């Protein structure tokens, strides 16, 4: 037992040093807001009607930037991209359940601080749940929604239960500090093939800092959100038909992580003022493999919001 404890301690120290090195090599590119005890990192570029981007589980601002979507949108819009709590350079205070509702309230307060009174909001994957919660809880802010590759209805998901391990008290702390960073690095190529497939991982994704994603702090946030995914969808599903703003739904037609027809197609059927655009040849990371298709969805959402 002493030998195991020693190995775990050394591993945790190494992972701590690697995390600090990753942060030094990938400094913040935007600004910070202090919102309800959270130091929230965000990037703002461009001029015009406001577009807010919310990334998925395990991700950060760098995902949207490397995809090219931020650059495309900034030609005609004011684009605001957040590192959600616990990701990138944003903090995630412990002792709170960072559900989609809680994060929606945080985003609403942050937008108020920077003078945003109305925006089209795009959420990818887990971020789509935050975008929906923002529209339901703060409808005056949300002029339209773009929902990309989201998970909206509860289904059995053994993978989410396994991924939730680092969020378990005590044992989870050991896992995320000593074990999960190493296993995450080893599993990274397999995970990338799954979330990008059937398309290959594009060269531009090399701009995404993998070492930031496998820090113990970010793995804890990701695990907690994996644990919340199914119950959160179950609690929210009945509220989708009450959305009154235009909703544009986009998903890779060959998503290997989330069934697009069972999730995005079903959501389209449930929301009266919605459209659905399956993107052929794309998987879960549709904004990376076909940024122009997602940009068209954004343009549609603004046009319908202004009609």
């Amino acid at each position: 037992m002493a030998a195991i404890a020693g190995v775990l301690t050394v591993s945790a120290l190494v992972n701590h040093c690697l995390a600090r090195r990753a942060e030094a090599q990938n400094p913040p590119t935007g600004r910070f807001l202090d919102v309800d005890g959270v130091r929230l990192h965000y990037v703002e570029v461009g001029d015009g009607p406001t577009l807010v981007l919310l990334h998925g589980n395990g991700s950060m601002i760098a995902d949207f930037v490397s995809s090219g979507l931020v650059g495309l949108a900034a030609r005609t819009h004011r684009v605001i991209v957040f590192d959600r709590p616990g990701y990138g350079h944003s903090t995630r205070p412990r002792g709170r359940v960072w559900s989609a509702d809680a994060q929606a309230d945080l985003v609403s307060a942050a937008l108020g601080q920077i003078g945003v009174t109305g925006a089209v909001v795009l959420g990818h994957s887990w971020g789509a749940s935050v975008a929906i919660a923002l529209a339901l809880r703060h409808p005056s802010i949300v002029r339209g929604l773009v929902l990309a590759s989201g998970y909206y209805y509860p289904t059995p998901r053994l993978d989410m239960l396994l991924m939730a391990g680092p969020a378990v008290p005590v044992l989870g702390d050991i896992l995320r500090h000593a074990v999960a960073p190493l296993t995450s690095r080893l599993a990274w190529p397999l995970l990338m093939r799954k979330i990008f497939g059937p398309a290959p991982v594009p060269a531009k994704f090399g701009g995404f800092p993998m070492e930031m994603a496998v820090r113990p702090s970010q793995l804890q946030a990701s695990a907690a959100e994996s644990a919340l995914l199914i119950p959160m969808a179950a609690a929210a599903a009945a509220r989708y038909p009450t959305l009154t703003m235009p909703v544009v739904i986009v998903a890779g037609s060959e998503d290997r992580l989330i069934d697009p027809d069972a999730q995005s197609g079903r959501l389209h059927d449930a929301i009266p003022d919605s459209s659905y655009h399956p993107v052929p040849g794309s998987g879960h990371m549709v904004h990376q493999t076909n940024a122009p298709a997602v940009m068209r969805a954004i343009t549609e959402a603004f046009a319908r919001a202004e009609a």
Side-chain angles (χ1 to χ4, degrees):
M1 289 297 293
I4 294 174
V7 170
L8 292 175
T9 299
V10 171
S11 179
L13 289 172
V14 170
N15 288 326
H16 175 78
C17 292
L18 290 174
R20 299 292 79 78
R21 186 176 72 177
E23 291 166 357
Q25 293 177 342
N26 298 276
T29 55
R31 290 174 279 183
F32 288 89
L33 296 170
D34 291 318
V35 188
D36 195 22
V38 177
R39 190 167 187 253
L40 195 64
H41 179 232
Y42 73 103
V43 166
E44 179 177 343
V45 293
D47 293 300
T50 302
L51 171 68
V52 174
L53 303 179
L54 302 171
H55 63 75
N57 188 348
S59 193
M60 62 193 84
I61 287 171
D63 177 21
F64 281 127
V65 173
S66 67
S67 74
L69 186 61
V70 171
L72 282 175
R75 296 173 185 173
T76 51
H77 297 85
R78 176 192 186 189
V79 183
I80 298 169
V81 198
F82 289 103
D83 276 334
R84 294 194 294 102
Y87 298 102
H89 293 282
S90 291
T91 63
R92 187 182 180 102
R94 302 192 73 169
R96 304 187 204 178
V97 177
W98 284 106
S99 64
D101 285 354
Q103 294 192 39
D105 291 345
L106 185 78
V107 171
S108 174
L111 292 174
Q113 282 195 27
I114 56 180
V116 175
T117 57
V120 165
V121 180
L122 180 150
H124 174 251
S125 194
W126 214 94
S129 298
V130 180
I132 290 173
L134 184 64
L136 290 169
R137 296 171 71 84
H138 306 278
S140 64
I141 297 174
V142 181
R143 300 176 57 206
L145 285 173
V146 180
L147 305 175
S149 305
Y151 179 88
Y152 312 108
Y153 298 96
T155 57
R157 292 292 300 260
L158 178 60
D159 58 335
M160 290 298 106
L161 294 177
L162 295 175
M163 289 174 64
V168 176
V170 184
L171 176 60
D173 289 333
I174 296 172
L175 288 173
R176 70 185 179 91
H177 284 287
V179 179
L182 174 60
T183 58
S184 296
R185 287 185 181 89
L186 293 174
W188 188 263
L190 180 62
L191 175 62
M192 294 303 102
R193 285 197 294 272
K194 182 172 184 178
I195 65 174
F196 277 93
V201 179
K204 62 185 177 180
F205 192 68
F208 182 85
M210 182 267 287
E211 285 294 330
M212 290 285 284
V214 299
R215 292 171 298 160
S217 59
Q218 186 149 325
L219 290 173
Q220 194 279 333
S222 181
E225 293 190 351
S226 296
L228 285 169
L229 184 69
I230 296 172
M232 200 169 62
R239 302 159 68 194
Y240 301 149
T242 67
L243 291 167
T244 57
M245 66 286 296
V247 179
V248 182
I249 304 164
V250 62
S253 63
E254 299 177 67
D255 192 330
R256 297 173 178 174
L257 188 67
I258 295 174
D259 186 321
D261 292 329
Q263 295 292 335
S264 294
R266 183 179 173 185
L267 183 70
H268 170 50
D269 292 339
I271 299 176
D273 192 10
S274 70
S275 61
Y276 175 36
H277 304 287
V279 180
S282 284
H284 192 66
M285 300 293 279
V286 63
H287 59 296
Q288 283 278 352
T289 55
N290 200 328
V294 178
M295 189 65 226
R296 288 193 293 272
I298 291 168
T299 300
E300 178 186 338
F302 274 103
R304 289 170 54 194
E306 294 166 1

